[in-house]
Amino acid sequence: MALGRREALVLGAVGVAAAATGFLAGPLLLQSGTGAADLLSARFPDRTGRVRALNEWSGQVLVCNFWATWCAPCIEEIPLLVSVREAFLHKGVEIVGIGVDSGDKIAQFTKTTPISYPVLIADASALDLLRKLGNAAGGLPYTVILNRRGAIEHRKLGAFKGTELQTLLSRTLAA
């Protein structure tokens, strides 16, 4: 049975509306299961005790690095993160360290190891967030890179080496 002109126009309009809805809402729905929204709404105290939310850095490329004072690869990675922040801060990139440790241990550690980027203190409660972000084992260091729209661009379990992080950030900024 052939469609009449009116039925064809209605079906075409419905199809265009469905495609537009998928185009606009699709990326948001895909991100809803990645943990990005949980990460951006997470609130942790900084080294001064002020509670901070990661969405404070919305509109920037955000590198969230989960680490601990007892984690040797985490400690080895800190100088790289400091130098990358220095190189990319003026381009709209911020690095935030999220210490999965006690506030006292982080305070003691940062007295001897300077960290120029913001450091938040998450203690063991961050393990649920790590799982939501795709790190089922809860291993450290774990880094999540969010683009300017708050979507996850990259996740990495383990320390960055060489120019790996710079390359990822350059790609994220160019997209």
Side-chain angles (χ1 to χ4, degrees):
M1 172 178 189
L3 292 177
R5 183 170 184 218
R6 184 174 185 185
E7 290 87 5
L9 286 173
V10 169
L11 284 175
V14 169
V16 168
T21 301
F23 177 77
L24 296 173
L28 296 173
L29 292 172
L30 289 172
Q31 279 302 112
S32 66
T34 66
D38 296 300
L39 178 61
L40 287 171
S41 65
R43 300 173 58 82
F44 304 108
D46 64 15
R47 290 182 270 188
T48 67
R50 180 176 155 221
V51 177
R52 313 273 306 263
L54 288 163
N55 63 13
E56 287 178 37
W57 292 280
S58 64
Q60 293 182 285
V61 172
L62 186 60
V63 178
C64 298
N65 176 258
F66 291 85
W67 67 287
T69 61
W70 46 263
C71 168
C74 301
I75 293 167
E76 291 171 13
E77 185 180 45
I78 289 172
L80 174 75
L81 296 172
V82 168
S83 68
V84 168
R85 181 183 191 247
E86 187 177 303
F88 282 84
L89 185 62
H90 72 282
K91 296 179 182 181
V93 174
E94 183 58 278
I95 295 176
V96 176
I98 302 171
V100 184
D101 214 327
S102 74
D104 291 339
K105 288 181 182 175
I106 290 173
Q108 188 65 32
F109 178 82
T110 56
K111 284 181 185 175
T112 58
T113 305
I115 300 176
S116 58
Y117 49 86
V119 174
L120 307 180
I121 302 161
D123 66 42
S125 66
L127 294 177
D128 285 337
L129 180 56
L130 285 170
R131 285 193 227 1
K132 289 178 183 176
L133 291 167
N135 183 356
L140 297 175
Y142 188 69
T143 304
V144 178
I145 300 173
L146 299 164
N147 65 25
R148 294 182 192 277
R149 295 176 314 280
I152 294 176
E153 288 288 324
H154 189 78
R155 302 165 214 232
K156 179 175 172 71
L157 177 59
F160 282 102
K161 304 282 188 212
T163 61
E164 181 184 9
L165 180 56
Q166 295 92 318
T167 301
L168 289 169
L169 290 175
S170 293
R171 279 190 216 146
T172 301
L173 288 167

